[in-house]
Amino acid sequence: MSAGARWQAMGFGSAAVQLAKAHGAHVIAVTSAAKAESLRMLGANDIVLRDQVLADVLDSHGVDIVVDLVGGPQWPQLLDVLQHKGRSAEAGAIGGEIAELDLRTLYLKGLSFFGCTVLEPEVFLNLVRHIEQGNIKPLVAETFALADIATAQAVFQQKGHVGKVVLKVCQD
């Protein structure tokens, strides 16, 4: 990724914000009002609220890279703001697993899509290096005992957290 690339994503993960910043990107995070300040503190340059129309907010300033953890009905907006030869990394579908794609957007802009479920080992090693150098700080939103897994899942589904919801396995 080139320095200064503009990243944009819905449901932007805290690690993605920090990693993009560590690579010199201008980060635009799409999120709820409740999470906006937390993402700004992590390094997001700009915040777009979920109920806003991306193209209107960006005012014809497109982005080079999208990192999407949400999917769902707002997904086509992400493609609309991608520049020619833009790239979209898809890593989740919490907003819905079915999304509409106008194939003309794909081929006329020459877009590339990447599924990001299983990454190459060097990607993980690079992430660990950034953590060790202090460029990225893993965030834990809440920790639950394994016995409280149902509560942890409910907190996760409320989508009000920034960082990871962690289950702690106690060995007695």
Side-chain angles (χ1 to χ4, degrees):
M1 174 186 57
S2 63
R6 292 171 59 95
W7 284 39
Q8 146 61 48
M10 297 196 59
F12 218 94
S14 59
V17 171
Q18 295 176 80
L19 187 57
K21 289 303 291 186
H23 281 86
H26 179 99
V27 177
I28 304 166
V30 177
T31 189
S32 65
K35 295 182 183 181
E37 188 55 32
S38 294
L39 291 175
R40 194 174 298 284
M41 288 174 46
L42 288 173
N45 298 91
D46 297 303
I47 302 293
V48 177
L49 299 179
R50 288 193 196 284
D51 60 352
Q52 295 178 291
V53 177
L54 287 173
D56 294 347
V57 175
L58 295 180
D59 192 30
S60 77
H61 295 97
V63 298
D64 301 308
I65 301 168
V66 165
V67 177
D68 177 34
L69 308 176
V70 178
Q74 291 181 313
W75 184 76
Q77 287 189 59
L78 299 174
L79 305 186
D80 291 341
V81 299
L82 268 172
Q83 300 276 21
H84 180 72
K85 297 283 186 184
R87 296 174 286 166
S88 182
E90 306 299 327
I94 194 167
E97 65 279 357
I98 305 297
E100 186 175 306
L101 169 62
D102 182 335
L103 291 174
R104 295 169 294 185
T105 302
L106 172 64
Y107 68 78
L108 291 173
K109 287 186 167 186
L111 302 179
S112 298
F113 295 98
F114 302 92
C116 299
T117 302
V118 178
L119 301 175
E120 302 298 325
E122 60 270 14
V123 173
F124 182 73
L125 294 174
N126 186 40
L127 181 60
V128 170
R129 182 177 52 78
H130 279 290
I131 292 169
E132 290 173 343
Q133 293 174 349
N135 299 328
I136 296 174
K137 180 184 176 200
L139 298 180
V140 176
E142 285 193 61
T143 302
F144 296 90
L146 184 58
D148 296 325
I149 191 169
T151 303
Q153 183 67 23
V155 167
F156 177 78
Q157 289 179 333
Q158 290 170 0
K159 304 175 193 171
H161 61 282
V162 175
K164 297 296 180 191
V165 174
V166 176
L167 292 174
K168 186 176 179 182
V169 179
C170 297
Q171 295 184 356
D172 296 4

